Each structure stands twice: as C-alpha cells, then as structure tokens.
Amino acid sequence: MVRNVIGSVLALAGAAAAVCSPFRAWFDGRQGIDYRVQDLFGGITDAQTEIVSSIVLPYAFAALVTLLGVVLRSRLLVALAGLVVLGFTVLWMVRQGQAAGYLSVGGGLPGLGDGVAAALGGGFLLLLGAVVMRGRAPRVVGFEEPDYDVGPVGPAGYAEDPAGYPPEGTGPYPWAPGPNDTQRLPAYPPPPPYGSGPRQPRPDPYGAGPAQDPFRDEGRGP
C-alpha cells in the first residue's frame, strides 16, 4: 500500500513536469509549443504552429496514460507513459541536433533550455514511479467445499439414512413415533398403602425358634 502511494506521487509529479515542459524554453529561447509534431519526423523548421498540433500533444497523452495507470495501479501503463515522454524528448534532441549542427548546454552558444531538462526529468520520474509501485495484489480464490455424496434424497427433501434413523428436523417436534414403535410395559399391582396391614415378623436368618421374639432387642434384655 505504501509503495503504491509513493509510486503514484512520483508518477504524477513526472507527468506534471512533462506536460509543463513544452511551455518553457527548449533551444535558444524557443519554447516547446513552437515545434510541430511533424517536425519530429520530417525535420525541425521555423514554421509556427498551434498548441493542439505542437509537441504538447504526446506529453498530454502520456499524462492521461499516467492517470489511468495510477487509478488502475498498473505499473505497465506508468512505465509506458515514461517511455513515451523520454522517446519524444530524445527524438526532438536528435532532430534539433541535425538542424543546428550541434547541441550544447551553456558555453556561450545557443543551447538546450530548461524545458528539455523538465521533460527528461519527468520521464525518469515516471519510470521510477513504475519501479516503486507494487501494482495490484493478486486475487485470492476462495476455497470451495467438496461435493460429498449424501446418497438418495427422500420425499421430504432429506437424505435417506441407510441405518433407518429418522432425519433431523428443524421444528420442535420433527418426528413422532408410530403405533408399533413403542413397547408396552407390564402392569404391576399398586403397592399397599403405608401402615394399612398388620406388622409381620421377619424371619430369623440364624434359625431362631418360635418361642423367641424376633422383634426383641438383644441389647435391652428380655
């Protein structure tokens, strides 16, 4: 994210420098807007031209490509804009050198102006911005669940269970037993109420005779 921001700033700065460069002096005080686009292919002449047909046109096109590349975060478009700016600038330098017979910077002779430096600097800034930019992040494909074979589907929309268990429903009573699905418990007589019958003696496990009281407490005596 940070690299994209820095690269975008460099690219926009380079595009601005390239567009503004034709409005400055290019050679011997002559501005870039005074050079026709066709002069880059047929030779430099002294003919005057309009702005729409001057060398501003390729630099404006490069600026539009830069804006598109920044919006789309495309390093290729930004690099293409930089190559367009540098290509037309170098082509103009070649044609101007052929027409004047020399190219110089300073030295008392008519030479290159700051407009050419701005165009070259803008092209290099565009290429640097394309290098710094990271571009778009790769798209992550979501994980898809495998299609498990659940078997045949019953009439109610549930998969039929081979074990014979009822399907799991969504309501509070999804399944009710049939008349043959329950087992009847045996009927037992009710227990007698507490204290309703006479107290029965408990059998002595040690074989006490009938003369002995089975309820007698041995600790208390006879």
Side-chain angles (χ1 to χ4, degrees):
M1 181 64 182
V2 178
R3 291 182 55 183
N4 285 333
V5 173
I6 297 176
S8 300
V9 172
L10 293 175
L12 292 176
V19 172
C20 295
S21 63
F23 296 92
R24 305 181 68 87
W26 277 51
F27 186 81
D28 194 15
R30 186 179 181 184
Q31 294 182 348
I33 56 177
D34 295 332
Y35 294 95
R36 301 180 302 175
V37 177
Q38 54 265 33
D39 291 346
L40 302 177
F41 305 97
I44 301 297
T45 62
D46 295 333
Q48 299 295 323
T49 182
E50 299 292 336
I51 296 180
V52 293
S53 59
S54 65
I55 60 175
V56 177
L57 188 61
Y59 296 111
F61 172 76
L64 292 178
V65 174
T66 302
L67 290 177
L68 186 61
V70 170
V71 172
L72 299 179
R73 289 179 294 179
S74 174
R75 302 173 61 186
L76 181 61
L77 291 178
V78 175
L80 177 62
L83 293 177
V84 169
V85 172
L86 291 178
F88 276 92
T89 304
V90 172
L91 181 60
W92 175 88
M93 295 174 64
V94 172
R95 294 301 185 186
Q96 182 62 46
Q98 292 176 350
Y102 67 95
L103 287 177
S104 65
V105 179
L109 296 175
L112 301 176
D114 55 356
V116 179
L120 292 176
F124 283 115
L125 282 178
L126 286 170
L127 294 180
L128 181 60
V131 173
V132 174
M133 287 179 65
R134 190 174 183 179
R136 285 189 174 185
R139 182 175 297 179
V140 179
V141 180
F143 175 75
E144 297 182 358
E145 292 287 341
D147 189 10
Y148 297 102
D149 188 8
V150 296
V153 179
Y158 301 99
E160 295 182 354
D161 194 346
Y165 295 104
E168 183 178 357
T170 57
Y173 305 101
W175 175 78
N180 298 326
D181 293 340
T182 58
Q183 182 180 5
R184 296 182 178 275
L185 299 177
Y188 293 97
Y194 179 75
S196 59
R199 186 177 183 186
Q200 301 293 333
R202 293 177 297 177
D204 188 1
Y206 301 99
Q212 297 180 358
D213 186 4
F215 301 102
R216 180 178 60 88
D217 189 357
E218 296 180 356
R220 297 176 57 187

